[in-house]
Each structure stands twice: as structure tokens, then as C-alpha cells.
């Protein structure tokens, strides 16, 4: 079983959901992003989703776009992201990477899988890769023992849900609403329906992302999903803060609030 | 590589050889499937085809003329026939694509269209079709472009469209395209993404190609009527690739007809400041398709440069990538200066002010005419896609030539 799978099993045994916290590599700097993710783990984030910044992130809303632009302007490279994986994985928290397909293809699909595995990463979330285009990644992730997380959406047909989840390993990423990343005041009505549909076709744990920003929202998502995925709200802590210590304090407080939320699922 | 596949027809998943396909968020797959099905049934439907043909004839003013440019020909050392897409309503080939997609939007029962635009040409065309079809229209345009193309922003607004300046990334066309995709993911139920060129995820490249291929169908017959023969070569500029595919397609199965696509070489491909994705780029994935892209060692998109806003895009439609790989078409870069020299030559010899995009096709034609003449032992006949008129470029060209009173070059 993958390390992510272990984290989901453990949480399930404790009657709670896993908290997945997302941060772009190299935002605001390489060292700054490592410090941020370590702070998140200390405050109760179970799994780190490390986004490797890409110049054209079509699934991301304004907050992650800005953070990615800052990271890229700072010169972050794919190999820096792999070093960050290694440093953050040393905390013991599973680190899963997320990125758009072109940076992976450019690095070399098998080479990336090899280096990600060597750095201690658990797998890859692919927001713009659907299984139909993923032959090379299916082979590379198999040969290097990595998890594969494809996305499912409210608009996915039952047939596609079955097909897509059959290619996933570790966990399935359910995009809670039709739209891009970004914290919202309300989480979606579509999400519980989607999760229920996913459960019809797979036993894999299901993480729900897009829109979660508070402990209360995390608690409500934890009521029906196995994992709560939070990105923009955490990143905003860093974007909005005047200096690093304020940023880390805000990040720690929000992480703790979210961690509390996933421990008190609301039905 | 499936070079054996019938020319120009992608496989069921939208692959042209190793290019094309779909690299999109799962949330869009259902809409792309719906669009693909609508495209297939529409193209097989007599009523749809008749309606499209009537619109093209009565509204857009096609078939556009094939005009023998005698004085330009003398300078080129070739018999140059200009496919006058510049005479179409809205001034470019793009009207064909937007009318086709607007018809398809109505057929799918959607009420809203979104579009990306660089210089504003496609935005204006999309706003035009939206007005005609009574559709809500939102156009995404990089903030850098809204500032340098203020008149086109005003045109779109006059036509009733909402123009949204995009302030992320490089704030140009590629970022406008990202923003249009984001809008589409969120509003896919009632919205059609009226893409501006033969790029993007399947089925867009094939769909746009089908709506603009009338250019070549007309030109082929017009050339036969005029000269009794097929041309020796067909030339076009290549941005995303719609006007080039539009004119190439009717000739793909005529092996004696050479196909040339001219990319924007900017300040020269060697300088790195260009938009020549095939000549100066490498295989990658951008905006939902696998094709040639301008990218760095980490796969980050590199900004393109061209004096022509309509060619200033760091990717190219996948069918061109494939035509390049199979060798059926040749792609060559044309610099800003070469394009502007051809722009001036057409103005002065024919009294036609071409779009700067189309001037790349004219310059490329001048460049290959001599070689073709040597090969054939006679002046070649070359059909050039004059994809648009230069009214929109008066400011840029006036600045380039230093002829704007009160401003220097
Ligand atoms: C007149 C004209 N020609 C060519 C182009 C380039 O697009 P494409 O390569 O899709 O024909 C444009 C784009 O704005 C244009 O306005």
C-alpha cells in the first residue's frame, strides 16, 4: 500500500478525513516554501500537495496563478521542486506533487517518475492529463511505484468515472465544483453527489478540492469525503502577509483550524 | 507515426500523427465530447451546411475573389494569385470560423460565447457573430493588448461584447486563452468557447479547419477556371494556423502543389525573439494539444515576439505540426522586416493594404518564387492567401515606416 493509502487508512480508523495542503514550489522562494510546508505539517496538515509551477495553469484561479508567477519569476525549476519534495518528505508527511503535463513531458516522463520516487514523493496529481493521453505516465508510474491521481468532475459520465478511477492509485481527486481553484464562501452542492458516484465505482479514498477555505468548510467536506484538499486559502496567508513571520503565523493558524475541521466531520 | 492516415483527418481522439489530442481538465471532457458530436452531425446535415453557405455568401461576402496581381507578380518573378480574404466582412478569413461556430452554438442550444483575442481581430469577429446570432459575448484580451489595440476594444464594445482585460502571466494572447479556458470550465453548461484558430483540444482543430476550408475549395476552382491548371504552390502565414489550413486543405491531395506556411520570425529565429513555433520551437503540450511550442528547458512557455499581433502566439495548431512532420507542407520563418517590405510592395504595386499577418505570406512568396522558378524552368503560379486587410495595422505600419505626423519611427 502506498504511503498516501496508509495516511487515509489511519484517518479512516480515527473517524476523520485527511487534510491535504497545497503549496507551489518556490513560492515565495524555495526556502520560504519549504518553511511554509514544514509549518503546515507541524500544525496538522497530513499530506502536502506540492504544485510545480507552470506558466499556463488553466485549472488554477487567481491566487495560485499569482503564487506560481512569483515562483517562476524567482527562477524556480523542476529540479528545485524535487529537492523541496525531499526536504518536506523528511518531516514524515507524504508529499504528492501536482503539475500540468508539459513540465513533466519536458523533463522526461520516466526520468521525472524516477527522480520523484528517489526524492521520496508518493505520486503525481495531473490536472490536465486524462487517462486516454497517459500511456507513458501509466508505464512510468508503474515502474517507479508512484501513485497516480487523475481528476474527476461533476460533469464526468458514469462511464468516465469508472474508467478514470480504474487508472488512479493512492486516491481520487474530485473537483467539487465546475471551476478553477480558489477559496469560496460556499462549498458545492455537487461535491457530495460526485463523491457518492465515485464510491459506486471504486474503493479508493476520495479527496475533494476546489473552494475549501475554513475549518467549518473542512468539517463539512470531511462529512462525506476521505480527504479535504486546501490550496488557495493557505497560499493567501503568504500573499497577504507583510513579512515571513506574520505569514507563517497565519498559515499555522489556518492549518490548525482546518486540521480541527477534518477531525470533526459534520454529517 | 501514422503518416498513412488519410490526409488531414485526425483519429477518433483527435490525433494528427503524434500531435493533437486532448490535454484538458476532466471537467471539460463532457463539453468537448458534446461539441465533437455536434460538429459531426452538423457537417453531415444538409440544412446546416446550406445555412452556413448562405451566411457566407449573403453576410460575409464569399466566395472571395482570386485576383491576379500583375504588378506584384512582375516583382516576384511568379504568377501571383491573391485569395482576397481581406474583402470579407470584418476584413479577414476569421469571419468564416466565427459564423460556423455561432451556428453550432445555436444548434447546441447555448446562449453565451467566450473568445480569446490578441490584436482583437478574432474578438471583433466573435462579437460580430454574437451580435448577429443574439448571443452574449465575453472576450478575454491580455491587458498589454487592450492598451495597444484600444480601437479594437472599442469595436467589440460597439458590437455589444464585454471585453475583459487579463492581468495574469505575460498579459498577452496566451494568457487570454488561459482565462477563456477557465471561464469555460466554470460555465460550460450554457457557454461555447468560440476559439479563434485551428488549435486547442480536440475537436477544435478539426472543427475550425472545416469552417475555413472553403478558402481552399474556392481558390482551387478559381485557379482552374483562371489558368486551366492547379497552382505550383499555395502559401499562407501561420499563427495558430487557421487561414493556412483553410487554404491548404483543398490541395493536400494534389502532390504537385507545394504548400508553404510562413511563421513569424520576428527579429530572427536566432535571436530568440520570434513566434516561429515549428521552425524555432520543440514538441510540447500547450492549450490542450500536443504540438510545437516555444518553451524553455523546464517546459515553461516562452513569450513570443512578432510585429504582427495575429501571429504572436507561442504555439501552432496540431495539424500543421503533423503536416510539417510528414513533409507535406514546408514551414519557413519570415522576419518583421521582410514582412514589412512585402507590405509596402503590395501597397505600392497593387493598391492593396494587406494585414501584417498576410504580409508574412507575401514576403515568403517572394522568397520561394526564385527557387521554384529555377526548379520548374518557368515562372511558377502561386496562390497566396491574403488573409486580411491592413486597416487595423495602420498605426503599427505608420510607426514602422515613420510616416505618422508628429511621431517618429
Ligand atoms: C488577417 C489575419 N491573418 C492571419 C492571422 C493568424 O491566424 P491564423 O494562423 O489562425 O490564420 C490573423 C490573426 O489574428 C489575422 O488577423
Amino acid at each position: 500500500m502506498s504511503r498516501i493509502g496508509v495516511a487515509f487508512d489511519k484517518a479512516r480508523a480515527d473517524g476523520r478525513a485527511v487534510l491535504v495542503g497545497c503549496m507551489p514550489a518556490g513560492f515565495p522562494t524555495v526556502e520560504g516554501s519549504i518553511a511554509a510546508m514544514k509549518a503546515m505539517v507541524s500544525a496538522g496538515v497530513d499530506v502536502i500537495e506540492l504544485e510545480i509551477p507552470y506558466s499556463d495553469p488553466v485549472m488554477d484561479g487567481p491566487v495560485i496563478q499569482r503564487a506560481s508567477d512569483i515562483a517562476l519569476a524567482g527562477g524556480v525549476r523542476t529540479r528545485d521542486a524535487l529537492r523541496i519534495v525531499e526536504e518536506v518528505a523528511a518531516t514524515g508527511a507524504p508529499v504528492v506533487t501536482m503539475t500540468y503535463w508539459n513540465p513533466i513531458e519536458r523533463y522526461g516522463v520516466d526520468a521525472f517518475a524516477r527522480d520523484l520516487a528517489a526524492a521520496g514523493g508518493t505520486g503525481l496529481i495531473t490536472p490536465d492529463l486524462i487517462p486516454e493521453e497517459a500511456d507513458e505516465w501509466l508505464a512510468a508510474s508503474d515502474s517507479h511505484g508512484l501513485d497516480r491521481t487523475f481528476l474527476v468532475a461533476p460533469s464526468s459520465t458514469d462511464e468516465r468515472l469508472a474508467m478514470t478511477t480504474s487508472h488512479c492509485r493512492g486516491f481520487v481527486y474530485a473537483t467539487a465544483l465546475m471551476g478553477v481553484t480558489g477559496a469560496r464562501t460556499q462549498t458545492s452542492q455537487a461535491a457530495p453527489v460526485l463523491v457518492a458516484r465515485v464510491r459506486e465505482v471504486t474503493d479508493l479514498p476520495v479527496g475533494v478540492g476546489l473552494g475549501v477555505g475554513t475549518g467549518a468548510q473542512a468539517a463539512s467536506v470531511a462529512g462525506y469525503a476521505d480527504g479535504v484538499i486546501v490550496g488557495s486559502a493557505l497560499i493567501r496567508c503568504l500573499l497577504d502577509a507583510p513579512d515571513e513571520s506574520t505569514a507563517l503565523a497565519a498559515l499555522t493558524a489556518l492549518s490548525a483550524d482546518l486540521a480541527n475541521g477534518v477531525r470533526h466531520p459534520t454529517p | 507515426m501514422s503518416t498513412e492516415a488519410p490526409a488531414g483527418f485526425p483519429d477518433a481522439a483527435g490525433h494528427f500523427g503524434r500531435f493533437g489530442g486532448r490535454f484538458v481538465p476532466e471537467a471539460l471532457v463532457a463539453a468537448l465530447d458534446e461539441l465533437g458530436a455536434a460538429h459531426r452531425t452538423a457537417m453531415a446535415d444538409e440544412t446546416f451546411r446550406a445555412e452556413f453557405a448562405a451566411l457566407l455568401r449573403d453576410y460575409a461576402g464569399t466566395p472571395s475573389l482570386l485576383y491576379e496581381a500583375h504588378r506584384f507578380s512582375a516583382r516576384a518573378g511568379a504568377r501571383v494569385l491573391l485569395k482576397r480574404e481581406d474583402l470579407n466582412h470584418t476584413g479577414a478569413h476569421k469571419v468564416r470560423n466565427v459564423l460556423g461556430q455561432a451556428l453550432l452554438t445555436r444548434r447546441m442550444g447555448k446562449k453565451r460565447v467566450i473568445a480569446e483575442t490578441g490584436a482583437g481581430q478574432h474578438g471583433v469577429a466573435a462579437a460580430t457573430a454574437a451580435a448577429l446570432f443574439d448571443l452574449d459575448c465575453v472576450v478575454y484580451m491580455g491587458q498589454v493588448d487592450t492598451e495597444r489595440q484600444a480601437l479594437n476594444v472599442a469595436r467589440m464594445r460597439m458590437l455589444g461584447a464585454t471585453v475583459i482585460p487579463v492581468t495574469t502571466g505575460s498579459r498577452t494572447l496566451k494568457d487570454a486563452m488561459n482565462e477563456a479556458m477557465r471561464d469555460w470550465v466554470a460555465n460550460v453548461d450554457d457557454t461555447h468557447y468560440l476559439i479563434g484558430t485551428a488549435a486547442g483540444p480536440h475537436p477544435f482543430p478539426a472543427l475550425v479547419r472545416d469552417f475555413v476550408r472553403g478558402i481552399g475549395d474556392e481558390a482551387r476552382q478559381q485557379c482552374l477556371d483562371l489558368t486551366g491548371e492547379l497552382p505550383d504552390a499555395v502559401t499562407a502565414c501561420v499563427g495558430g494556423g487557421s487561414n493556412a489550413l483553410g487554404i491548404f486543405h483543398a490541395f493536400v491531395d494534389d502532390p504537385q502543389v507545394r504548400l508553404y506556411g510562413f511563421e513569424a520570425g520576428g527579429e530572427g529565429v536566432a535571436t530568440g525573439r520570434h513566434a516561429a513555433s515549428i521552425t524555432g520551437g520543440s514538441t510540447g503540450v500547450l492549450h490542450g494539444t500536443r504540438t510545437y511550442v516555444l518553451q524553455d528547458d523546464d517546459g515553461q512557455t516562452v513569450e513570443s515576439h512578432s510585429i504582427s499581433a495575429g501571429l504572436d502566439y507561442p504555439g501552432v495548431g496540431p495539424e500543421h505540426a503533423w503536416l510539417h512532420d510528414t513533409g507535406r507542407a514546408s514551414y519557413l520563418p519570415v522576419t518583421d522586416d521582410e514582412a514589412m517590405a512585402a507590405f509596402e510592395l503590395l501597397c505600392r504595386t497593387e493598391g492593396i493594404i494587406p494585414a501584417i499577418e498576410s504580409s508574412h505570406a507575401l514576403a515568403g512568396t517572394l522568397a520561394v518564387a526564385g527557387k521554384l522558378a529555377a526548379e520548374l524552368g518557368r515562372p511558377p503560379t502561386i496562390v497566396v492567401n491574403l488573409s486580411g486587410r491592413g486597416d487595423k495595422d495602420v498605426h503599427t505600419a505608420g510607426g514602422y515606416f515613420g510616416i505618422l505626423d508628429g511621431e517618429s519611427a
Side-chain angles (χ1 to χ4, degrees):
Chain A
M1 153 141 351
S2 71
R3 279 164 57 207
I4 288 262
V6 172
F8 276 101
D9 275 5
K10 198 165 146 284
R12 195 175 281 177
D14 293 348
R16 68 171 182 97
V18 162
L19 175 61
V20 181
C22 172
M23 199 50 63
F27 166 72
T29 60
V30 169
E31 295 314 318
S33 65
I34 293 171
M37 287 178 270
K38 287 184 173 171
M40 285 156 61
V41 172
S42 302
V45 172
D46 300 299
V47 172
I48 292 292
E49 176 188 329
L50 180 74
E51 180 160 350
I52 303 174
Y54 174 54
S55 51
D56 297 276
V58 296
M59 264 304 273
D60 284 312
V63 170
I64 297 185
Q65 285 174 51
R66 250 174 74 211
S68 298
D69 284 350
I70 290 168
L72 288 172
V76 71
R77 305 203 48 187
T78 305
R79 59 169 183 258
D80 298 318
L82 291 165
R83 182 168 74 76
I84 295 169
V85 169
E86 200 166 343
E87 295 234 10
V88 179
T91 62
V95 180
V96 56
T97 50
M98 178 280 211
T99 194
Y100 295 85
W101 192 240
N102 201 48
I104 305 293
E105 194 159 288
R106 190 67 174 164
Y107 192 95
V109 178
D110 191 71
F112 180 83
R114 178 197 66 209
D115 293 353
L116 178 61
T122 61
L124 178 66
I125 302 167
T126 48
D128 65 347
L129 186 71
I130 55 177
E132 290 95 323
E133 299 284 355
D135 286 355
E136 219 183 333
W137 168 234
L138 297 181
S141 50
D142 281 347
S143 67
H144 298 283
L146 292 170
D147 289 338
R148 297 188 286 258
T149 295
F150 294 103
L151 273 51
V152 294
S155 60
S156 305
T157 59
D158 290 341
E159 204 179 9
R160 286 195 64 79
L161 286 183
M163 184 279 290
T164 302
T165 57
S166 76
H167 289 95
C168 289
R169 189 159 54 211
F171 72 106
V172 177
Y173 193 131
T175 53
L177 31 75
M178 296 297 286
V180 297
T181 56
R184 290 170 175 82
T185 48
Q186 286 196 307
T187 51
S188 118
Q189 301 306 304
V193 178
L194 175 60
V195 172
R197 291 176 59 216
V198 173
R199 294 205 193 285
E200 299 272 307
V201 293
T202 182
D203 293 330
L204 285 172
V206 186
V208 167
L210 299 190
V212 178
T214 65
Q217 287 174 336
S220 106
V221 173
Y224 58 85
D226 307 301
V228 180
I229 305 168
V230 183
S232 299
L234 291 164
I235 293 163
R236 183 170 285 142
C237 294
L238 304 192
L239 276 174
D240 291 348
D243 55 60
E244 188 175 17
S245 63
T246 323
L248 291 181
L251 192 63
T252 298
L254 179 59
S255 300
D257 183 30
L258 294 164
N260 185 52
V262 299
R263 281 167 179 76
H264 297 92
T266 49
Chain B
M1 195 173 55
S2 53
T3 45
E4 267 72 44
F9 291 95
D11 70 16
H15 298 109
F16 297 90
R18 64 191 175 101
F19 299 104
R22 265 184 198 170
F23 295 82
V24 292
E26 169 66 21
L28 288 180
V29 170
L32 290 168
D33 281 343
E34 178 195 13
L35 182 61
H39 171 226
R40 272 194 309 279
T41 57
M43 297 318 279
D45 178 353
E46 279 304 330
T47 318
F48 180 91
R49 291 216 308 267
E51 221 176 336
F52 185 41
L55 267 175
L56 286 176
R57 182 189 65 229
D58 304 334
Y59 182 75
T62 72
S64 59
L65 300 174
L66 188 73
Y67 163 72
E68 180 160 7
H70 290 283
R71 297 191 62 224
F72 188 85
S73 292
R75 300 290 287 270
R79 187 172 186 190
V80 175
L81 310 178
L82 300 178
K83 182 59 176 162
R84 297 289 310 273
E85 289 292 296
D86 60 316
L87 297 176
N88 297 348
H89 179 48
T90 73
H93 68 287
K94 289 183 182 279
V95 70
R96 299 179 187 256
N97 174 39
V98 297
L99 290 175
Q101 289 199 54
L103 268 177
L104 210 51
T105 304
R106 193 171 71 186
R107 193 180 166 92
M108 291 186 292
K110 296 190 174 185
K111 296 272 183 267
R112 176 176 180 265
V113 292
I114 54 173
E116 84 295 343
T117 197
Q121 285 310 105
H122 172 59
V124 169
T128 300
L132 182 66
F133 281 79
D134 192 21
L135 301 166
D136 289 335
C137 180
V138 172
V139 179
Y140 291 95
M141 188 168 182
Q143 193 189 41
V144 170
D145 294 326
T146 57
E147 282 163 13
R148 60 185 176 190
Q149 300 287 341
L151 275 181
N152 268 343
V153 174
R155 276 191 188 101
M156 288 181 258
R157 291 187 176 142
M158 280 171 205
L159 291 161
T162 304
V163 180
I164 301 185
V166 175
T167 58
T168 50
S170 60
R171 303 171 187 218
T172 58
L173 177 57
K174 79 171 180 67
D175 308 285
M177 214 152 159
N178 294 338
E179 209 52 34
M181 298 268 258
R182 292 183 188 113
D183 180 317
W184 203 34
V185 172
N187 298 297
V188 68
D189 281 347
D190 72 340
T191 298
H192 173 62
Y193 179 17
L194 210 166
I195 203 167
T197 190
H202 176 64
F204 282 115
L207 178 157
V208 172
R209 194 251 342 261
D210 284 349
F211 289 143
V212 294
R213 63 163 297 161
I215 304 170
D217 293 335
E218 292 164 18
R220 192 173 184 282
Q221 190 56 51
Q222 288 166 321
C223 183
L224 286 171
D225 292 346
L226 183 74
T227 71
E229 286 168 318
L230 289 174
D232 298 303
V234 173
T235 67
C237 65
V238 180
S242 65
N243 89 89
L245 275 183
I247 198 157
F248 284 179
H249 234 264
F251 298 98
V252 164
D253 295 329
D254 300 318
Q256 73 273 36
V257 180
R258 297 153 185 81
L259 306 176
Y260 289 99
F262 296 107
E263 299 192 289
E267 295 171 18
V269 173
T271 68
R273 292 179 59 81
H274 62 85
S277 315
I278 295 177
T279 331
S282 50
T283 305
V285 169
L286 179 64
H287 292 142
T289 192
R290 182 179 280 114
T291 184
Y292 287 103
V293 299
L294 303 181
Q295 58 183 329
D296 70 13
D297 290 343
D298 279 344
Q300 309 293 345
T301 310
V302 169
E303 239 180 285
S304 56
H305 293 274
S306 171
I307 190 169
S308 151
L311 304 182
D312 203 351
Y313 177 63
V316 65
E319 190 168 353
H320 283 295
W322 182 63
L323 288 171
H324 169 73
D325 260 29
T326 61
R328 179 60 190 96
S330 307
Y331 296 85
L332 298 165
V334 164
T335 64
D336 290 350
D337 289 341
E338 289 164 340
M340 294 314 290
F343 174 100
E344 186 173 35
L345 185 63
L346 194 75
C347 290
R348 300 300 175 87
T349 55
E350 299 290 343
I352 297 171
I353 301 178
I356 298 179
E357 291 80 12
S358 320
S359 301
H360 286 70
L362 295 166
T365 301
L366 294 171
V368 299
K371 187 184 78 94
L372 279 177
E375 217 174 285
L376 297 164
R378 59 171 169 79
T381 299
I382 305 178
V383 171
V384 182
N385 196 359
L386 194 67
S387 57
R389 68 174 85 124
D391 304 34
K392 68 185 176 61
D393 295 319
V394 167
H395 192 81
T396 305
Y400 180 88
F401 293 116
I403 54 174
L404 296 174
D405 279 350
E407 290 183 34
S408 56

